[in-house]
Structures are given as C-alpha cells and as structure tokens.
C-alpha cells in the first residue's frame, strides 16, 4: 500500500509538471489562434514581396492582394510589352490613354518633381540604361554621352490631361522609384476593404502596415545597416509606410570607384550628396518612396529644410561618414542597435 | 520499502529528464529553422542548430547558386547572377537572402526579432 502510495504521488507530480510545461505552450497557441497569421510571398515588381495578415479568414483577402500586385506590375513594368508604361514609352510622341491608377501615379510623380525641386525625376530611364542599371550590364558613360542623354530627360516636358499622357518621342519614363510605394498604398487599401484589420506588406524592403499588431502592439521594423550586415536600429511604428533608399541597394565597382543606381537628375551621375541611406516614414507609401530617393539626391541640409516645411513625413538619414540624423517626430520610436559602432544620434528639430 | 526507494529514484530520474526536456523546449531559440525556396516552392527545410557544415547547390535555368552552412549560420557563397545582391546580403539575419534573377529565397521559417526590415 505504501509503495503504491509513493508511486502514485510521484506520478501525480510528474503529471502536474508535464501539464504545466504543456500549458505554457498552449497559452501561446491560444493567443495566435485568436489572431491567426497568414502570409503569401511572390516575386513581383522586380522584387520579393511578402504580405502577412493577422486575423481569421484572411486567405481571400491575401489572394486579392496578390492579384492587385500582379495587376499593378502589369500596368507599370518598363519591359513588359503589354504594360501601360511600355505603351507610353513607345508611343512615338503620341498621346496615350492610361488607367486611373497609372494616371494618379503619374500625376503624383509630377507633383513630387516640383516639391523636391527636380530631385525626384521619373524621366531618367535613358540615363539609367546607359549606366547599365536596367540591364545589369554596367558601364561608366563618358561626359558627352551623359550630356546628350540628359537632353532627353525633363519631367516638365511630360503632360498629363486626365487619363491622357503625352511623353515626347525621344523620352522614356520609369516608375521604379515610386511604383512599389504606391502599390503598398493600394494593397493596404484593398486589404482593409476585405476586412483585414492587421497586416504587414513587405515589397522588397518597402514596408507598409495596416493597423497595429494583434493586441494593439506596435510593429518593430529593423533598419538595414548601410555599412555592413545586420540592422543599425529598430523603429516602432503603427499604421504607416516605411521606405529606405541606399547606395548599397544596387551598385557596381569599376577602377576602385563605386557607382550606385540613385542618379542625380542634374548631373546624370550617381548622387554624391554625402548621404549613404535615407529612411522615410509617413502615412503614404507613394510619398515615402518618392522622398527616399529624392532626399538621397538632395543631401542632409536640403532634406532637413524640406522636412521643416512639411508635416507629412519623418526621416532617418545616415551620412557616409557614419553620422545618424533623425527628425524629432520619431525620436522616441527609434532604438539604436547595441552593436552599431556609431553611438551618436543627432536629432533634427523644427 | 526497498521497492519504494527504487520507485522514488526512477521517478526522480524521469522527473529531472522531464525538467530538462521542458527547459530545452522553452529555451530553444526560435529562428533556427531555415527554408530555401525557389519561385515559391520549398526545396529545403533545415534546422541550423543541427546542420553540419556543408554546401548546397541549387540550379535555375542553367544558373547555379551555392549556399553554404557553416557554424550554424547560412549564406550565399557563390551565385551565377549578375547583381550578386544575394552574396552581398551576408549571413542570414532578419532580412531574407533573395537572389532575384534566380528566384531563390533563404529565410527563417519562424520570424525572429523584428517584424520586418526596411532596406
Ligand atoms: Zn543573386
């Protein structure tokens, strides 16, 4: 009887232990079951896209999002012969009727050109091609070639009347520096229309969120270290878009010089503004995308001035000498990574 | 009573084993499981904590990517792509290693750390 009692007691203890161990896992599953996580990934718009939605029955919303991305890609691809941008670029100077989405994106692109004093320019495609950034057959064009090519650029020569676009015969446009941002806006809208309350859209590092994380927590977004591997910091965000531009994204090295894909529309050469990466955060993906490229071109001082005259974005700029500059609106949301060598962060104030 | 002692010892051993097992399960760091996929199709699912050092070669339309696993870490060693972005990404951390031309992705199965990486 004694033996039975002891073994019984020991077994009871074991059972208690095992259930408590299992329970801590169960609790976690309960949390995730009530906010189920579903995601879909694909190669689209020249990048790797992942859309993650939280909540029950998000499968239909995700396939709708996927369809949306595919359809936008087919409108805006420069190389797809059936795309609207291809039609505009091969119009022989004749007016082309485009979809509402494309017209709105073009209209926004023209506005951004004005707002950035020309730093944002969708007409640089012929120059980008000469550098090989569109074909990956990299070369350094000489000054004469660049001067000639720059004559074939200029957003002021593009006209848009409703949904009718007119691009002169020798010019070509490319929405690569804004299309993913606008796609983020439209996909976020689409997810919301399909009842999704919490989602994260990652278009090759262009981040756009819907709502907060399940339970009201903020999203934590790592920021890529432009000098090497890993992240240099983390940004806590709610519903918004985050887009970065950096010299590290696409570049080639020739004769010891590094040439990156962000061109200065004035010189037709890789922008040498002293900036190595820019992060822009705001409500609209299209704005963040356009600004990240143009602030990179403008340099720290002009970027800070543009920010002081605006109220629709915040930014983090890393300069090539390792300086980190952050605007005051997101000062409290940013945490510098411990293993990043530069400990000083300067806050840009109004 | 001898039997009772034996029972206690046996139970104690099971008890300790159970604790160790629980601790392993709870503390096992997430983000050790890595998937290698091509154009949406998963080719490999690997547990980095258990993999020995080796290389994996993946082919896409005649072009090759060589993936290296070393000391429990994974990266793209060689690639037949024109941009070499995948190689330049370095060792796998928060952001997935993507070879766009060859539609190859190396990523952690269970996300660790940040929700996403702005890049
Ligand atoms: Zn590659």
């Amino acid at each position: 009887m004694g033996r039975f009692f002891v073994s019984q007691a020991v077994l009871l203890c074991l059972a208690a232990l095992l259930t408590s161990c299992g329970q801590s896992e169960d609790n976690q599953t309960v949390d995730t079951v009530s906010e189920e996580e579903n995601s879909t990934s694909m190669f689209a718009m020249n990048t790797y896209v992942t859309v993650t939605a939280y909540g029950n029955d998000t499968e239909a919303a995700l396939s709708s999002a996927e369809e949306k991305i595919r359809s936008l890609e087919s409108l805006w691809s420069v190389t797809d012969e059936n795309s609207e941008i291809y039609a505009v670029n091969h119009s022989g100077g004749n007016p082309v009727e485009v979809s509402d989405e494309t017209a709105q994106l073009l209209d926004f692109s023209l506005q951004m050109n004005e707002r950035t004093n020309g730093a944002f320019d969708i007409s640089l495609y012929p120059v980008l091609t000469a550098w090989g950034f569109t074909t990956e057959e990299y070369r350094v064009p000489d000054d004469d070639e660049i001067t000639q090519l720059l004559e074939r650029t200029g957003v002021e020569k593009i006209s848009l009347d409703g949904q009718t676009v007119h691009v002169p015969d020798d010019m070509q446009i490319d929405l690569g520096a804004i299309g993913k941002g606008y796609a983020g806006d439209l996909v976020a809208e689409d997810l919301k229309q399909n009842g999704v309350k919490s989602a994260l859209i990652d278009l090759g590092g262009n981040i756009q969120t819907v709502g907060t994380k399940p339970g009201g927590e903020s999203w934590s977004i790592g920021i890529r270290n432009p000098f090497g591997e890993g992240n240099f910091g983390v940004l806590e965000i709610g519903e918004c878009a985050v887009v970065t531009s950096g010299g590290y994204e696409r570049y080639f090295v020739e004769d010891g010089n590094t040439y990156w894909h962000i061109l200065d529309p004035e010189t037709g050469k890789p922008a040498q503004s002293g900036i190595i990466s820019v992060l822009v955060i705001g409500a609209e993906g299209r704005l963040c995308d356009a600004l990240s490229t143009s602030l990179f071109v403008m340099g720290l001082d002009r970027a800070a001035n543009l920010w002081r005259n605006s109220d629709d974005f915040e930014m983090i700029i890393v300069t090539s000498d390792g300086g980190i500059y952050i605007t005051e609106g997101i000062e409290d949301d940013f945490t510098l990574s411990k293993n990043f060598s530069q400990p000083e962060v300067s806050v840009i104030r109004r | 009573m001898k039997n009772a002692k034996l029972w206690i010892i046996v139970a104690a051993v099971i008890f300790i084993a159970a604790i160790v097992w629980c601790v392993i399960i709870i503390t096992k760091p997430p983000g050790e499981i890595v998937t290698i996929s091509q154009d949406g199709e998963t080719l490999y699912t690997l547990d980095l904590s258990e993999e020995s050092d080796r290389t994996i070669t993946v082919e896409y339309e005649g072009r090759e990517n060589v993936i290296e696993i070393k000391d429990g870490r994974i990266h793209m060693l060689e690639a037949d792509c024109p941009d070499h972005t995948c190689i330049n990404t370095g060792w796998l951390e928060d952001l997935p290693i993507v070879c766009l031309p060859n539609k190859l992705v190396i990523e952690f199965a269970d996300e660790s750390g940040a929700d996403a990486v702005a890049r």
Side-chain angles (χ1 to χ4, degrees):
Chain A
M1 195 59 190
R3 188 182 67 187
F4 180 71
F5 185 74
V6 170
S7 59
Q8 190 96 332
V10 166
L11 280 176
L12 210 70
C13 282
L14 267 182
L17 179 76
L18 286 175
T19 25
S20 72
C21 181
Q23 221 161 35
S24 73
E25 274 178 36
D26 275 352
N27 285 342
Q28 283 170 5
T29 10
V30 169
D31 280 339
T32 42
V33 165
S34 65
E35 287 293 352
E36 200 184 317
E37 178 181 330
N38 273 308
S39 73
T40 176
S41 293
M42 63 181 136
F43 286 92
M45 306 187 91
N46 277 323
T47 195
Y48 182 59
V49 180
T50 302
V51 183
T52 308
Y54 298 85
N56 297 322
D57 306 318
T58 53
E59 287 89 351
L62 282 179
S63 31
S64 166
E66 201 168 313
E67 227 167 88
K68 186 94 211 170
I69 294 166
R70 290 271 175 235
S71 85
L72 296 175
E73 172 182 47
S74 69
L75 290 180
W76 302 336
S77 163
V78 216
T79 48
D80 179 354
E81 291 180 17
N82 300 312
S83 85
E84 291 190 340
I85 296 307
Y86 190 92
V88 168
N89 286 342
H90 296 82
S91 63
N94 294 309
V96 176
E97 184 98 2
V98 296
S99 64
D100 182 43
E101 278 115 332
T102 304
Q104 289 206 24
L105 182 50
L106 284 172
D107 182 44
F108 187 73
S109 302
L110 303 186
Q111 286 173 37
M112 286 310 292
N113 179 261
E114 233 167 84
R115 186 170 166 188
T116 60
N117 283 317
F120 182 75
D121 192 330
I122 57 168
S123 70
L124 288 175
Y125 193 73
V127 194
L128 268 175
T129 304
W131 284 91
F133 286 112
T134 57
T135 55
E136 275 155 5
E137 285 157 18
Y138 300 121
R139 58 186 274 273
V140 181
D142 63 33
D143 287 355
D144 285 349
E145 188 182 350
I146 292 176
T147 312
Q148 280 180 2
L149 286 171
L150 283 177
E151 280 167 21
R152 294 172 50 197
T153 69
V155 169
E156 67 285 348
K157 290 181 248 174
I158 300 169
S159 68
L160 179 69
D161 182 18
Q163 287 176 226
T164 308
V165 195
H166 178 257
V167 172
D169 190 20
D170 57 347
M171 283 177 60
Q172 284 188 312
I173 59 167
D174 156 34
L175 301 175
I178 193 167
K180 283 192 299 237
Y182 195 32
D185 289 333
L186 296 178
V187 171
E189 208 174 282
D190 191 65
L191 286 169
K192 283 186 200 171
Q193 272 173 11
N194 285 304
V196 175
K197 301 258 179 331
S198 170
L200 190 142
I201 305 154
D202 182 342
L203 295 124
N206 279 26
I207 310 295
Q208 187 125 9
T209 58
V210 172
T212 59
K213 271 170 84 163
E217 241 183 287
S218 53
W219 308 93
S220 62
I221 306 296
I223 309 165
R224 192 194 190 283
N225 175 7
F227 298 108
E229 292 175 19
N231 300 333
F232 78 86
V234 173
L235 196 60
E236 302 284 330
I237 61 166
E239 177 172 296
C240 65
V242 181
V243 180
T244 56
S245 280
Y248 53 80
E249 289 173 291
R250 210 161 353 123
Y251 64 91
F252 66 96
V253 180
E254 196 174 297
D255 299 330
N257 296 314
T258 300
Y259 301 95
W260 50 60
H261 74 291
I262 305 173
L263 302 184
D264 184 335
E266 264 178 46
T267 63
K269 295 176 183 176
Q272 298 289 348
S273 66
I275 288 180
I276 194 154
S277 86
V278 182
L279 175 147
V280 182
I281 172 169
E284 289 181 323
R286 72 197 92 163
L287 177 76
C288 296
D289 205 0
L291 279 178
S292 69
T293 316
S294 37
L295 298 180
F296 188 101
V297 170
M298 292 162 81
L300 182 61
D301 293 341
R302 283 177 67 199
N305 280 336
L306 182 63
W307 172 78
R308 286 193 183 97
N309 293 319
S310 311
D311 59 0
D312 49 3
F313 74 95
E314 301 288 337
M315 62 186 184
I316 302 175
I317 287 177
V318 182
T319 53
S320 36
D321 55 8
I324 301 175
Y325 300 84
I326 181 168
T327 52
E328 61 182 352
I330 49 169
E331 192 185 351
D332 298 334
D333 307 322
F334 174 74
T335 314
L336 189 68
S337 168
K338 284 179 207 74
N339 48 20
F340 194 67
S341 54
Q342 166 67 292
E344 285 291 304
V345 176
S346 315
V347 179
I348 304 174
R349 301 192 188 279
R350 294 217 184 260
Chain B
M1 273 330 261
K2 260 210 170 135
N3 268 339
K5 262 189 191 159
L6 190 70
W7 260 107
I8 291 175
I9 291 168
V10 168
V13 169
I14 298 174
F15 190 80
I16 288 165
I19 288 181
V20 169
W21 182 70
C22 276
V23 167
I24 288 173
I25 287 210
I26 292 168
T27 59
K28 188 178 169 68
E32 293 289 299
I33 309 293
V34 165
T35 58
I36 301 173
S37 59
Q38 190 156 59
D39 209 3
E41 190 193 333
T42 303
L43 304 178
Y44 297 90
T45 303
L46 312 165
D47 185 344
L48 285 185
S49 60
E50 281 167 13
E51 284 291 326
S52 47
D53 295 358
R54 61 163 169 149
T55 59
I56 297 170
T57 304
V58 179
E59 212 201 89
Y60 185 79
E61 291 178 352
R63 297 189 299 270
E64 278 187 355
N65 287 71
V66 182
I67 300 156
E68 184 185 38
I69 301 167
K70 205 178 175 203
D71 303 329
R73 298 198 296 167
I74 190 165
H75 76 145
M76 193 73 75
L77 184 66
E78 289 165 27
D80 270 350
C81 57
D83 58 341
H84 282 181
T85 303
C86 51
I87 299 176
N88 296 330
T89 308
W91 297 99
L92 181 64
E93 288 184 6
D94 282 333
L95 62 159
I97 297 174
V98 178
C99 183
L100 216 50
N102 298 353
K103 304 208 177 222
L104 191 70
V105 181
I106 310 171
E107 61 192 333
F108 284 117
D110 35 355
E111 278 165 64
S112 58
D115 296 311
V117 176
R119 57 192 189 273

